[in-house]
Amino acid sequence: MSHHHDSELARQDPRLDISDTYLFRGTTGTVFVVNVNPLSGGGGFHDDESRYEIKVDTDGDAVEDITYRFTFQPPAADGSQHWELRRLDGPAARDRFADGTVLLTGTTGEPAQTPDGLRAWAGAAGDPFWIEGTVVTAVKTAIAQGTAPDLADFDPAGATNLFAGTDVQAIVLEVPDEALGGAGAAIGFWGSTVLATDAGGWRQINRCANPLLNTLFDLEDAEQDIDFNATEPAEDQRRYGAEILRAAERAAAAVGAVPDAAAHAARVRDLLLPDVLRYEVGSDAVFAVDRRNGRGLTDCVPEVMFELVLGAPVKLGLDASSATGVPGDVFPYLSAAGARH
């Protein structure tokens, strides 16, 4: 997973740990995917005063204007869970005490749909993410130490997907384009998980948008009171911009592939912060070095992120065929759980 186990609370309960988010054009509308860490051991979704939220920014300020909120009931005898989906708009989208409007209810493993075409599905699925452990460790180390990645002993012919054969707990929501402003509208998306506190409030446990952001940059450090997952995207530039600027400049300078490491680092900071996936409604999704418009299920995002940060390509020796299962062309698009090549 590109975002796994990066907060202390997520380590305590991986069911609330978002591994990846995706945003792309489906067969009938715009698709939002939130995958939860497969290290949950197939334990389903958290069901005790918790929420899984799809946040949508419609005016470019990295503040949510629409929230789609999923909640889950305890598992039945067969392991299935009943879920409920609500929509909240405007100020209510940012108010975790607001009730919103119930749009749909359903059961994990079964698709559900409203008369106007909104579709939702939740359950276990094959993890579409792939990465090579040796490569990501080398890149992460290089960024942390301000050096070039050391891949002298890496043989691409022996590359293996670190998460081959793993499943995720997935939430898939397909929204009619008209509900998001229509074709051509610019939106931003991030996923978050929330847990009730003993004091009667809500604590954000995890948030995720751009892949690998919190893997490549250490934005979570309890000893220094840095808690990326508890903060909001609109705060990202102020809170984390300096660290990304410093780390990207040192690493890019060490690699030596860009003429101006400082200017390159400033571009990296502005591309990655605020941590929001941007997308043009109705268009084809692509997450590439030269264009980022949502994120498809088969985009090779690790190589894109490595090149964006370092200014030079770093290859994994893998492609989409290394992922668990094969994504489909029909809703809910993810491969079935337990899929193997």
Side-chain angles (χ1 to χ4, degrees):
M1 298 68 61
S2 67
H3 194 262
H4 70 293
H5 275 3
D6 57 356
S7 75
E8 182 60 35
L9 288 174
R11 293 187 190 97
Q12 295 173 15
D13 196 328
R15 293 175 298 172
L16 295 170
D17 190 12
I18 303 172
S19 56
D20 284 284
T21 55
Y22 300 84
L23 175 59
F24 56 91
R25 176 68 185 169
T27 56
T28 63
T30 300
V31 180
F32 303 87
V33 179
V34 175
N35 286 344
V36 180
N37 205 318
L39 298 183
S40 63
F45 296 93
H46 198 286
D47 55 72
D48 184 13
E49 296 188 85
S50 58
R51 295 167 173 177
Y52 296 78
E53 296 183 331
I54 289 169
K55 300 289 193 177
V56 184
D57 168 28
T58 62
D59 57 13
D61 62 357
V63 175
E64 61 267 47
D65 302 291
I66 304 169
T67 293
Y68 292 99
R69 178 186 293 161
F70 284 82
T71 54
F72 292 84
Q73 295 298 314
D78 63 357
S80 65
Q81 292 178 265
H82 183 77
W83 53 261
E84 180 183 80
L85 168 63
R86 293 174 180 255
R87 173 168 166 153
L88 303 95
D89 291 270
R94 302 179 286 278
D95 182 358
R96 292 199 163 111
F97 293 96
D99 291 330
T101 302
V102 177
L103 297 182
L104 198 57
T105 61
T107 302
T108 52
E110 301 176 4
Q113 182 170 331
T114 64
D116 65 356
L118 179 142
R119 302 194 285 188
W121 181 92
D127 189 350
F129 182 73
W130 73 91
I131 200 165
E132 220 293 330
T134 301
V135 177
V136 70
T137 298
V139 173
K140 179 178 173 62
T141 300
I143 293 172
Q145 298 180 351
T147 61
D150 182 4
L151 290 166
D153 296 328
F154 172 63
D155 179 8
T160 58
N161 176 14
L162 187 61
F163 301 110
T166 62
D167 293 330
V168 289
Q169 298 294 317
I171 294 172
V172 183
L173 176 66
E174 186 160 6
V175 180
D177 292 344
E178 294 73 21
L180 300 170
I187 63 171
F189 157 55
W190 65 100
S192 66
T193 55
V194 184
L195 188 63
T197 68
D198 292 337
W202 295 94
R203 170 72 183 271
Q204 183 169 285
I205 304 301
N206 216 217
R207 66 175 167 109
C208 178
N210 283 298
L212 289 166
L213 179 64
N214 226 354
T215 298
L216 299 181
F217 299 97
D218 290 324
L219 304 180
E220 184 79 19
D221 188 338
E223 293 184 359
Q224 298 186 44
D225 198 28
I226 300 173
D227 191 356
F228 176 86
N229 287 286
T231 57
E232 303 297 332
E235 307 170 28
D236 284 348
Q237 282 274 4
R238 175 178 63 83
R239 287 180 177 271
Y240 313 112
E243 170 58 22
I244 287 184
L245 190 70
R246 180 195 68 84
E249 181 175 355
R250 290 200 315 160
V255 172
V258 297
D260 186 335
H264 170 81
R267 179 174 176 270
V268 171
R269 176 199 60 200
D270 295 343
L271 285 174
L272 300 182
L273 300 179
D275 185 24
V276 175
L277 275 181
R278 297 293 180 188
Y279 176 67
E280 179 184 328
V281 173
S283 66
D284 292 332
V286 59
F287 195 94
V289 174
D290 58 351
R291 182 169 179 254
R292 283 155 306 285
N293 183 49
R295 176 186 175 186
L297 293 171
T298 58
D299 289 334
C300 188
V301 296
E303 290 185 359
V304 173
M305 289 293 288
F306 298 162
E307 186 169 351
L308 281 177
V309 175
L310 299 175
V314 179
K315 298 300 182 182
L316 294 173
L318 302 171
D319 57 25
S321 66
S322 303
T324 302
V326 180
D329 295 328
V330 298
F331 186 85
Y333 307 109
L334 297 173
S335 65
R340 303 291 183 267
H341 289 296

